Amino acid sequence: MQLHDVWFVLIAVLWIGYFFLEGFDFGIGILTKPLARDTAERRVLINTIGPVWDGNEVWLLTAGGATFAAFPDWYATLFSGFYVPLLVILVCLIVRGVAFEYRAKRDGARWQRNWEEAIFWSSLLPAFLWGVVFADIVRGVDIDAQKNYVGGLGDLLNPYALLGGLVTLALFTFHGAVFAALKTVGEIRERARRAALRAGLATAVLALVFLVWTQGHSGNGRSLVALVVAVAALVGALVANGLGREGWAFVLSGATIVAAVAMLFLALFPNVMPSTLDDGWSLTVGNAASSPYTLKLMTIVAAVFTPLVLLYQGWTYWVFRKRIGVQHIPGHAPAGPAAPAAPAGPDSPATPLDRA
C-alpha cells in the first residue's frame, strides 16, 4: 500500500469520526423542536452536547486540512464545484456556534426562542447537505480534462443525491434521539426513545434504498460487506432501543454511521471524484495526491499528534458522562417527586452553556 492509499484511508477515518460525533450533535439540534416541550427541556437537550459540540467539529477541520495537504486537486475541485452547498454548511456551522453561546446571554423569552430556532435550522440543513455532497462524490460529477468541475448547481441536486441527503438527515436524527435517551432522565428520556423508534424506522427504509442503489451503481465486494454490517447494526440499534438498552443502542447507531460512510469510501476507491464525462478524467488517489515527501511528513505528524487528540477528547466525554434532566436546570422546579440531585464536582451535568 502506497502513502496516497494510506491517506485516502486516513481521510475516510476522519470523515467517519466526524459523522459519528457530529451526527448525534446535529440530531440533538434537530430534536430541540419536535422533542422538547418547553424551554427547560430544550436546555436539557442542548446541555447534553454543551461540553463536546465544538470538539466534534475539530474532526471536520482536520478532514478538510488533510484533504488539502494530501490531495490538493481533490480539494480544489471539491470546494470549487460544491461551493454553494459547502458555503451553506459553513454559514450554518458559524450560526450554530454563535447560537449555542449567545442563547443564554439574556433572559428574554424572544431572545432565547430566536437562538433556539437558529440551532434547529443550522443543525437540519448541514445534516441534509452533507448527504447530498457525499452522494454526488460517489455518483460522480462533470469533471473535465483539466480537473475542473464544469456542471451547475442543478446537476448536484439529482434524485440520488437528494435521497442521500434524506438518509443522513434521518440517520443523524435517529443517532441524536438515541444519544438523548442515553444522556437524560425522566419523561424526556422516554420521549427520546419513542422518537428514536420513529426516526430509526424512517432511516431503515431510506438507507436500504440508498445503500442498495449505491452498491448497484459503483459497489464491489468490500462495499457489500459494509452494507450488510450497516443494515445489521441499524436493526440491532432499533432492537436495543426497544429494550431500553440505550448504551447498546447508541453504540449500534454509531456503528451504522461508521459502516454506511465506510461503504461510500469503499465504493469510491481508487477514485476520489469520478468524472461523468470521461472515466479518464476522474480524480484518483494517484493523480490527485501530493508529492511522496509531503505525504511522508504528514504521516509522521499524524502519528505523533493524533493519539493525543483522541485521548483528550475521550477524557472530555468521560468527565461529562452523567445523565441530566429538567431538575438539574437552575431555577426550574419540576412537577411531581423530585429526582435525585446530580453530584457536584467534575461530573456535574452543568455546562458552560448555562452560565446565565
Side-chain angles (χ1 to χ4, degrees), residues 249-280:
F250 179 72
V251 170
L252 290 170
S253 67
T256 304
I257 293 177
V258 170
V261 179
M263 179 194 172
L264 296 183
F265 278 95
L266 289 170
L268 184 63
F269 185 82
N271 293 323
V272 293
M273 285 190 75
S275 172
T276 55
L277 301 179
D278 189 314
D279 288 341

Side-chain angles (χ1 to χ4, degrees), residues 162-189:
L162 294 175
L163 177 60
L166 292 176
V167 169
T168 52
L169 177 59
L171 182 54
F172 291 169
T173 304
F174 171 60
H175 196 38
V178 171
F179 183 76
L182 177 66
K183 290 288 292 180
T184 58
V185 295
E187 186 182 350
I188 192 171
R189 175 186 178 188

Side-chain angles (χ1 to χ4, degrees), residues 297-356:
L297 184 62
M298 290 175 61
T299 304
I300 295 171
V301 173
V304 173
F305 288 102
T306 300
L308 299 177
V309 174
L310 293 176
L311 285 172
Y312 173 76
Q313 192 163 24
W315 176 80
T316 303
Y317 277 91
W318 176 255
V319 168
F320 293 99
R321 67 189 182 276
K322 297 293 185 180
R323 294 177 182 266
I324 62 174
V326 292
Q327 65 271 20
H328 303 132
I329 300 299
H332 180 78
D347 291 334
S348 171
T351 78
L353 298 182
D354 269 323
R355 296 191 187 102

Side-chain angles (χ1 to χ4, degrees), residues 27-36 42 45-46 116 119-120:
I28 290 293
I30 294 167
L31 290 168
T32 54
K33 261 185 176 295
L35 185 60
R42 282 190 288 274
L45 289 177
I46 293 171
E116 288 164 358
I119 290 172
F120 171 78

